[in-house]
Amino acid sequence: MNPFSYARPAAIDEAISLFRPDSRYIAGGTNLLDLMKENVTRPAQLIDITQLPMSDIEETADGGLRIGALVSNSDLAWHPRVQQHYPLLSQAILAGASPQLRNMATTGGNLLQRTRCYYFYDSATPCNKREPGSGCPARDGLNRIHAILGHSEACIAVHPSDMCVALAALEAVVIVQGPQGERRIAFADFHRLPDETPERDNTLAEGELVTAVELPAQGFSAHCSYLKLRDRASYAFALVSVAAALELDGDTIRSARIAMGGVAHKPWRKHEAEALLIGKAPDEPAFTAAADALLEGASGFEHNAFKIELSRRAIVRALTDAAKGAAR
Ligand code: SF4
């Protein structure tokens, strides 16, 4: 590990003013410390943000919820308002990591965790995300856990978060503060596809700090389901995951959300697929049509082509479970 300096500011403005191009903000450290130990990331300065006032969960004026960036994954998953009104989010968080990690990991950090591509963590191999222009050995190498949607010549990695899949389905908003002030980023615009610049995971500008995440009032609490499929029953990243949410009017779908994890560089949604469900009965033919639309254009590699059919079945099952009612 390289030497680094350490600062622990008490105010958000102070933290932002300390930031330099070779700085990293640190909170729970559940991903950043691994990256530093593996020499993937070599910050010259760590700015410890754990003393900043970003640990509250508050209702917003429009009936939504504002979640401070430092709220731990455990506290968020077990918060009564989240369990009652946003069970999809609670289910997704509890499907990830382990209790110990969820106690340390924060809301902001969950958004910013980096891919678990094996080559990204192995500094003895090339990797366009770690060393731009060096190549992507995953394309012709071990790619079981990699993308089937939205990948590029430069990178086929996936975003590893469960929580973010639910936040995408719920259409959360990310609040960030930086040298130019505060701005709000729609969740769909926060993470990015790799294109030619896979070193950039998200649309944050230099020095910007995630301060909170806001949920709208619509929580789809009556009909939602988070389905995670993985190689072992716990403490594993998703091969494929689905956050499904429905609003039903009797036996008719009034609105629908479907977001996928484990398949792309960002949580994957497609409004056209969701629109196909509006006005339909919540049955298998409708869910299959939506799955086909969501997966249009999917393409796999030597070891992960199975994810396409797995995704199709997972979408249908998650929507079927959502139609039955939300598990709590
Ligand atoms: Fe690196 Fe992306 Fe290729 Fe993995 S898939 S080796 S992260 S460029």
Side-chain angles (χ1 to χ4, degrees):
M1 197 188 291
N2 283 11
F4 55 85
S5 63
Y6 173 81
R8 192 161 63 168
I12 291 173
D13 285 350
E14 185 187 356
I16 292 166
S17 69
L18 287 170
F19 196 93
R20 307 189 302 256
D22 53 7
S23 301
R24 289 289 181 280
Y25 296 121
I26 186 167
T30 54
N31 188 205
L32 181 57
L33 293 180
D34 284 345
L35 292 165
M36 291 172 66
K37 285 188 264 188
E38 298 293 340
N39 260 330
V40 177
T41 301
R42 295 184 286 274
Q45 176 182 229
L46 285 185
I47 302 172
D48 182 339
I49 59 170
T50 56
Q51 304 305 301
L52 305 184
M54 308 189 299
S55 300
D56 293 332
I57 299 177
E58 302 163 305
E59 290 192 31
T60 59
D62 62 359
L65 206 64
R66 182 183 170 99
I67 304 156
L70 288 174
V71 173
S72 75
N73 289 181
S74 296
D75 286 348
L76 183 56
W78 296 112
H79 191 276
R81 175 85 178 153
V82 175
Q83 293 236 301
Q84 191 66 32
H85 203 67
Y86 304 98
L88 182 63
L89 178 58
S90 185
Q91 288 173 27
I93 294 170
L94 295 175
S98 66
Q100 294 90 340
L101 282 166
R102 293 195 293 267
N103 287 342
M104 285 300 293
T106 62
T107 300
N110 197 308
L111 269 58
L112 300 174
Q113 62 179 304
R114 308 210 68 190
T115 184
R116 264 56 179 191
C117 171
Y118 327 112
Y119 302 98
F120 178 64
Y121 284 80
D122 181 357
S123 53
T125 66
C127 167
N128 284 328
K129 187 179 275 297
R130 179 168 27 80
E131 295 281 345
S134 63
C136 175
R139 289 189 71 85
D140 297 317
L142 295 172
N143 45 43
R144 177 174 171 79
I145 63 171
H146 289 74
I148 55 170
L149 288 159
H151 47 68
S152 70
E153 277 295 312
C155 181
I156 63 171
V158 301
H159 195 268
S161 170
D162 291 294
M163 185 177 93
C164 290
V165 183
L167 292 176
L170 292 168
E171 297 193 342
V173 174
V174 185
I175 318 295
V176 306
Q177 200 161 325
Q180 310 304 322
E182 184 176 282
R183 66 187 180 110
R184 300 167 62 88
I185 307 172
F187 205 81
D189 299 329
F190 184 78
H191 297 105
R192 57 186 298 281
L193 293 177
D195 299 323
E196 296 308 307
T197 51
E199 67 274 19
R200 292 188 59 217
D201 293 345
N202 55 58
T203 53
L204 284 177
E206 187 172 287
E208 280 188 322
L209 176 68
V210 175
T211 56
V213 172
E214 279 188 16
L215 296 173
Q218 169 61 288
F220 294 93
S221 58
H223 293 283
C224 64
S225 176
Y226 187 74
L227 175 63
K228 178 175 181 176
L229 302 175
R230 45 192 157 177
D231 276 329
R232 60 179 183 229
S234 69
Y235 195 36
F237 292 96
L239 287 168
V240 164
S241 68
V242 183
L246 297 170
E247 187 186 4
L248 298 181
D249 184 1
D251 203 27
T252 302
I253 299 170
R254 188 186 291 164
S255 63
R257 306 271 177 83
I258 318 166
M260 294 200 69
V263 296
H265 203 254
K266 60 186 288 187
W268 191 261
R269 271 186 76 193
K270 197 169 178 184
H271 293 288
E272 296 90 326
E274 296 166 5
L276 287 176
L277 292 171
I278 310 299
K280 301 276 174 35
D283 57 20
E284 188 168 333
F287 296 157
T288 302
D292 288 342
L294 187 61
L295 294 168
E296 189 183 349
S299 63
F301 298 84
E302 182 178 358
H303 305 117
N304 75 344
F306 73 95
K307 280 190 180 186
I308 299 173
E309 181 58 24
L310 186 67
S311 297
R312 182 173 288 110
R313 295 179 188 203
I315 293 165
V316 173
R317 189 171 131 198
L319 285 165
T320 303
D321 290 346
K324 289 177 188 162
R328 290 176 200 277

